[in-house]
Amino acid sequence: MLHSFASDCHNHSACSPDGRHTPAAMLARARELGLYAYTLTDHCECQEYWEKYRERAQTAFGAMEALAPEEIRFCRGLELGQPLQDLSGAEDAVKRFPYDFVIGSLHNLENREDFYFLDCTRMPLEEIHGLLREYWRELLEMISWGGFDSLGHLTYPLRYIQGEQGISIDLHPHKEAIDQVFLALIQKEIALEVNTSGLRQKLGRTMPDLPLLARYRELGGRLATLGSDAHCTEDLGGGIDEGMGLLKEAGFTEFAIYEKRRPVMLPLE
Ligand SMILES: [Zn+2]
Ligand SMILES: [Zn+2]
C-alpha cells in the first residue's frame, strides 16, 4: 500500500452469501497487503433478517471473535442492508453483538429487487430518474433513523444502471436531493463511505465519485471511511490508495476507521 494508514473497512468473507474466502483468509491477506487497519463487514440484509441473516450474523461474529489478529488493527463490522425494511430486525442486529463498525446500505428500494437484478434498459429515462429520486428519499429516512456509522456506496444504483447497462445518467437534476443526504449525514455525525469497488468494475469510478466527495466536504462533511467491498482475497485493499488520494483532492486531511462504534481519525498520508 502507498499510504501508511491505508485501511479497508468494507469487505466480505464466505460468511456472506456472495463472499468466497474465510474470515481467516481475508485477515491473512489484509496483513500480507500491509493494511494498517482491517474491518470485516459481512452482509445482514434486513428484509430477510429473521429467517436468514440473524443466524448468519451469529456465525460471522463468532468467526471474527475466533480470529487472532497480529500486527494489524482488526475491527469487527457489519454491512446492514435496508434497515428500514425490517426495523425490528435492524435494531436487533446492531445491538446483538459488540460491533466496532456498522455500514448502512441500500441495495434495493422498498418492494423492489436489488438494483443488481433491475433491468433499466427498457425503461424510459424519466422512470430511471424516478428510481433515483426514490433512492435518495429512502436514504434520507435511513439516515434519520441513524443506527449505523457510515453510509455505504452512495450512488450504488449507478453501478448497474450506468456501469453494467451503459445508460448515461446526468446527476445534475438530483443535486438538491444529494445535498440533503450530505447535510443529514453531517447533522447526525454519520460518515460517508468511499467505496472503491467501482474502480475495478465497469462503472470506472468510486461510489461516490470525486465531485460528490468535494461537495460533501464543501457542505461541512468531515467523516469519511474507505472500503474496497471485496468479496474475495484478490480484491481486498483494491483502490484504497486511490480512494485516499481522491479524499485528499476533495480537501480532506484525514479519514476515519471505527472502533466500538466511535470514529478514530487517521491522517491521509
Ligand atoms: Zn453493499
Ligand atoms: Zn458490501
Side-chain angles (χ1 to χ4, degrees):
M1 308 301 297
L2 297 171
H3 295 84
S4 357
F5 293 99
S7 300
D8 193 334
C9 298
H10 182 163
N11 52 80
H12 303 270
S13 74
C15 294
S16 292
D18 50 359
R20 292 222 325 259
H21 296 113
T22 61
M26 296 296 281
L27 177 65
R29 178 64 184 150
R31 207 183 292 144
E32 182 182 272
L33 282 167
L35 288 172
Y36 172 76
Y38 172 58
T39 309
L40 177 60
T41 54
D42 277 305
H43 282 297
C44 178
E45 296 284 276
C46 293
Q47 73 278 32
E48 294 178 272
Y49 181 70
W50 298 102
E51 61 273 36
K52 181 173 171 187
Y53 281 93
R54 192 171 197 269
E55 199 181 321
R56 280 186 164 274
Q58 181 164 359
T59 307
F61 197 84
M64 290 192 286
E65 273 191 314
L67 294 175
E70 282 164 31
E71 300 154 31
I72 193 164
R73 214 160 161 169
F74 175 63
C75 306
R76 297 173 294 193
L78 180 74
E79 181 179 11
L80 194 68
Q82 304 75 244
L84 296 198
Q85 293 177 25
D86 187 334
L87 196 51
S88 69
E91 283 173 346
D92 185 74
V94 295
K95 67 162 194 254
R96 196 160 162 232
F97 301 108
Y99 291 105
D100 289 300
F101 182 49
V102 177
I103 298 171
S105 292
L106 186 60
H107 299 122
N108 65 277
L109 300 174
E110 180 104 56
N111 301 318
R112 294 255 192 182
E113 51 195 349
D114 193 308
F115 283 99
Y116 176 85
F117 298 107
L118 216 57
D119 182 6
C120 294
T121 56
R122 268 173 274 259
M123 277 181 198
L125 202 55
E126 192 37 47
E127 194 176 335
I128 300 174
H129 281 286
L131 290 176
L132 288 173
R133 284 193 294 273
E134 181 60 22
Y135 173 70
W136 316 124
R137 196 188 64 71
E138 291 191 24
L139 285 182
L140 270 183
E141 281 182 11
M142 257 174 66
I143 298 164
S144 97
W145 168 63
F148 56 96
D149 307 310
S150 185
L151 179 66
H153 46 56
L154 178 70
T155 67
Y156 175 82
L158 298 186
R159 180 194 271 177
Y160 303 103
I161 298 170
Q162 198 154 305
E164 298 295 325
Q165 300 170 16
I167 304 161
S168 166
I169 299 292
D170 174 17
L171 282 185
H172 195 255
H174 300 274
K175 185 174 181 291
E176 233 166 83
I178 299 171
D179 276 0
Q180 292 310 309
V181 170
F182 288 153
L183 290 168
L185 286 175
I186 293 162
Q187 200 241 330
K188 291 287 251 183
E189 295 180 36
I190 294 174
L192 177 68
E193 174 187 78
V194 185
N195 188 296
T196 61
S197 64
L199 293 170
R200 57 176 191 273
Q201 295 165 345
K202 287 186 188 155
L203 184 62
R205 47 195 161 87
T206 54
M207 293 173 283
D209 62 4
L210 178 59
L212 290 182
L213 293 173
R215 180 60 179 159
Y216 168 63
R217 178 75 187 181
E218 188 183 12
L219 289 171
R222 291 295 177 268
L223 290 170
T225 64
L226 290 130
S228 67
D229 214 344
H231 286 68
C232 57
T233 53
E234 295 88 327
D235 289 338
L236 198 65
I240 295 295
D241 277 319
E242 203 168 337
M244 291 174 84
L246 291 175
L247 278 177
K248 265 177 144 171
E249 245 183 280
F252 289 80
T253 54
E254 29 178 40
F255 71 102
I257 62 168
Y258 278 73
E259 281 177 344
K260 298 182 179 161
R261 311 284 316 268
R262 300 293 310 159
V264 176
M265 301 309 291
L266 296 169
L268 281 167
E269 61 188 33

